[in-house]
Amino acid sequence: MLINTITTHILLIIFIATVFRSAFGFGESLVAVPLLALWIPLNVAVPLSVLISVSIAGIVVVQDWRKIHFRSAGGLILYTLIGIPLGLLLLINFNEQIVRAVLGTVIVAFATYLLTGKQLKELKTENRAWLFGCGLLAGIFGGAYGINGPPLVIYGAKKRWSAQHFRATLQGYFLVASMVGLVGYWLTGLLVPVVIHYYLLSLPVTLPAVFIGRAINNRLHGESFFKYVYVVLIGIGVFLLVKAIIG
């Protein structure tokens, strides 16, 4: 009965997190990992979340590969790979609570500013400087805290991507970035049988959740979509601030 209860909660959490990720293109780890950690160890929850991330990204890429901005995704991935080691150094060498507090404050302030109706200047073509800056920051944030999303939102907003192109392009990005993360977990011995067990159990709820999220995404358009995304960013910032306070 205990095993069934735990499994039921895990599947429900993965379903909700997958719908969220499929609808908005990012952020499922902030839903999944803290809730999964209530039921399973963190060293199981994190690699499980990354395995789910690869699956979501793979399905979306197969569904909507025509909507991916491949040059943007490729540039962001390249510079993210440079940023990941810097994020790990940040995590090791600086006070974690202070960095979380600063990062959370900046994200909340930036997203709130954009919610007031201010628009970022449009990038009509690919811009190497912006690709470098956003990709590098995504790598740093991801390496330090597993939060790649905010810099990617900035680039997508500046490019004026539709909700559908934003979702598809980020999944092209996350497919590669998450697979790199999986290699790291495999090399460090974290892809243990219990992770694979819960991952296989989750597949029947992951697949329909991706399609439900896609249906939600298809109903979002233009500025209204990015307003929802900015609200999500504020949630991420608040989450970081709370973590900084409670440790």
Side-chain angles (χ1 to χ4, degrees):
M1 181 64 69
L2 179 60
I3 294 176
N4 288 337
T5 300
I6 292 173
T7 301
T8 299
H9 282 90
I10 289 171
L11 296 182
L12 179 61
I13 291 165
I14 289 173
F15 178 82
I16 294 170
T18 301
V19 171
F20 187 91
R21 160 74 173 273
S22 183
F24 294 104
F26 71 104
E28 92 290 346
S29 62
L30 290 175
V31 177
V33 173
L35 295 178
L36 287 173
L38 297 175
W39 300 96
I40 53 179
L42 196 60
N43 61 356
V44 174
V46 173
L48 175 60
S49 176
V50 176
L51 269 173
I52 297 297
S53 175
V54 171
S55 301
I56 297 169
I59 296 168
V60 174
V61 167
V62 171
Q63 284 179 324
D64 296 319
W65 63 269
R66 292 179 181 84
K67 296 177 181 176
I68 296 174
H69 292 275
F70 285 98
R71 289 184 63 189
S72 297
L76 291 168
I77 289 167
L78 174 63
Y79 298 123
T80 287
L81 294 178
I82 298 172
I84 288 173
L86 299 176
L88 293 173
L89 288 174
L90 185 69
L91 180 62
I92 294 169
N93 294 305
F94 289 86
N95 183 287
E96 187 173 349
Q97 286 179 272
I98 293 175
V99 175
R100 279 177 175 170
V102 171
L103 183 58
T105 300
V106 170
I107 291 173
V108 169
F110 177 75
T112 302
Y113 172 78
L114 292 176
L115 268 177
T116 63
K118 308 294 183 182
Q119 283 196 344
L120 296 169
K121 186 177 179 180
E122 183 178 0
L123 288 176
K124 296 185 181 296
T125 59
E126 299 299 339
N127 184 292
R128 183 169 294 181
W130 277 98
L131 278 173
F132 174 78
C134 292
L136 186 73
L137 286 174
I140 292 172
F141 290 2
Y145 304 110
I147 303 172
N148 303 65
L152 306 178
V153 170
I154 294 172
Y155 195 79
K158 284 187 69 65
K159 289 291 291 180
R160 302 292 193 271
W161 288 338
S162 69
Q164 293 70 44
H165 284 89
F166 181 86
R167 171 181 180 267
T169 302
L170 259 63
Q171 301 326 295
Y173 167 93
F174 280 119
L175 180 61
V176 177
S178 296
M179 288 180 71
V180 171
L182 278 182
V183 172
Y185 292 132
W186 175 68
L187 291 174
T188 54
L190 288 175
L191 288 182
V192 293
V194 67
V195 174
I196 306 302
H197 169 74
Y198 282 124
Y199 169 68
L200 293 176
L201 284 178
S202 72
L203 288 179
V205 302
T206 300
L207 292 174
V210 171
F211 285 91
I212 293 171
R214 185 175 189 245
I216 295 171
N217 179 267
N218 285 335
R219 293 178 176 272
L220 301 173
H221 302 282
E223 279 301 307
S224 63
F225 168 73
F226 277 99
K227 286 182 178 178
Y228 287 118
V229 170
Y230 299 148
V231 171
V232 173
L233 286 183
I234 290 173
I236 291 173
V238 171
F239 172 80
L240 288 172
L241 288 171
V242 171
K243 290 286 286 183
I245 293 170
I246 66 176

